[in-house]
Amino acid sequence: MFTPDIYKNENPEEVNKFLEENSFGILINQTNGKLWATHIPLELAINNEGKTILEGHIAKENPQWEGFKQNEEVLAIFSGPNSYISSSWYDHENAPTWNYIAVHVYGKIKIIEGEAVVNSLKRLVDKHEQQSEKPIRIEDLSSKTMRQVNGIVAFEIEIEEIQATRKMSQNRDEKNYQNIILELEKKNTTESIATAKEMKKCPYEKL
C-alpha cells in the first residue's frame, strides 16, 4: 500500500488497538488462479508459540479455503472512518481529498483443527458478547448447535508485515485543520462525525 511518510502510522500500540476495534476485514488470497476476497471478522491474538496472529474462520462451502493449501500468502485489509474533504473548507485554493484510516496485514495462513477451533470461537464470541444484556457462551451451546462447527474452516494468520495509513489532514495548519473538523461535524453523517472524532486525536502538522 502506498503511503506518504506523513500519513504512515508506525506506532504498534495504536495499530493493534485499531485492529482490535475494527476487526471486520477483507481476507484476500489467490484461489484457483484468481484473486478471491471474503468479508469476515479477523481477531488479533497471540498463538501458543507467542507469535502475533489473526484468527478467523470461513464457511466450508466457500472455495477460498482451498487456496490456503495452494499458497499460504494472504492479505487482510481493515478500514476505519473515512470522509470526503472539500477544499472549500480551506482558506486557500487546493484540491479536494479524502481522509481515511486503513491497515493492510500480510502473513502466512494455516488451517487449524480440533480444540483450537473451539477455543478460537470462544474468544470471538466472548469479545463481542461483552455488551450483551444476556451474553451467550460457546460452553453453554447444545451439542446440536455446536455441530455447525463442522461447516467451517478455521485458521490463523501469522503476521509478517503491517502497513498502516492514517490520513487525517496532518499536512494542514491549525486554522485549516480545525475548520475541517468543524465542517465534518456540520455535515453530520455517521462517517463525517467519526472522521472528525479521529482528527481530534491526532495533531496537525506545525508548518
Side-chain angles (χ1 to χ4, degrees):
M1 172 170 61
F2 170 71
T3 306
D5 288 344
I6 191 173
Y7 301 132
K8 287 181 181 178
N9 188 349
E10 297 177 318
N11 183 319
E13 290 183 2
E14 286 185 6
V15 174
N16 285 349
K17 187 173 186 292
F18 173 84
L19 291 173
E20 289 168 355
E21 294 177 351
N22 300 271
S23 58
F24 193 75
I26 304 173
L27 179 64
I28 301 169
N29 75 335
Q30 191 170 69
T31 298
N32 299 324
K34 67 178 183 179
L35 292 176
W36 202 280
T38 301
H39 299 249
I40 49 173
L42 295 163
E43 300 293 340
L44 199 64
I46 303 294
N47 67 10
N48 293 332
E49 299 171 4
K51 295 178 180 177
T52 303
I53 62 166
L54 291 172
E55 56 184 7
H57 64 273
I58 60 175
K60 231 173 224 181
E61 293 181 355
N62 184 340
Q64 184 178 23
W65 74 272
E66 295 287 350
F68 301 164
K69 298 181 289 186
Q70 301 162 7
N71 185 345
E72 61 185 1
E73 300 291 337
V74 297
L75 166 64
I77 296 178
F78 302 86
S79 298
N82 70 89
S83 187
Y84 176 76
I85 305 298
S86 171
S87 56
S88 67
W89 300 344
Y90 306 154
D91 62 3
H92 59 281
E93 182 178 337
N94 210 314
T97 188
W98 209 282
N99 280 0
Y100 67 96
I101 297 176
V103 173
H104 288 193
V105 178
Y106 297 83
K108 292 183 178 180
I109 197 164
K110 179 178 71 174
I111 294 172
I112 60 174
E113 299 174 321
E115 192 64 25
V117 177
V118 177
N119 290 336
S120 174
L121 293 174
K122 284 180 183 177
R123 287 189 288 271
L124 174 66
V125 171
D126 288 347
K127 174 185 174 182
H128 294 285
E129 286 287 336
Q130 288 181 32
Q131 304 303 319
S132 296
E133 189 174 321
K134 297 179 180 179
I136 64 167
R137 301 192 317 148
I138 289 292
E139 297 92 325
D140 298 333
L141 298 179
S142 67
S143 57
K144 179 182 178 181
T145 298
M146 287 303 295
R147 280 201 290 272
Q148 294 181 39
V149 175
N150 297 326
I152 67 171
V153 175
F155 57 82
E156 64 179 41
I157 301 168
E158 183 180 330
I159 297 175
E160 296 188 315
E161 181 182 0
I162 295 179
Q163 298 174 357
T165 298
R166 195 170 193 272
K167 183 181 178 297
M168 287 287 155
S169 297
Q170 299 97 310
N171 60 332
R172 302 298 165 193
D173 60 26
E174 181 178 12
K175 177 183 176 182
N176 286 284
Y177 190 87
Q178 296 301 331
N179 199 56
I180 293 168
I181 293 174
L182 178 64
E183 293 293 338
L184 285 169
E185 291 176 334
K186 284 165 58 177
K187 196 174 177 182
N188 199 32
T189 65
T190 300
E191 286 296 340
S192 68
I193 294 298
T195 303
K197 185 177 179 180
E198 279 297 328
M199 286 185 65
K200 290 178 180 179
K201 296 179 183 177
C202 61
Y204 58 89
E205 183 74 2
K206 294 183 179 180
L207 302 174

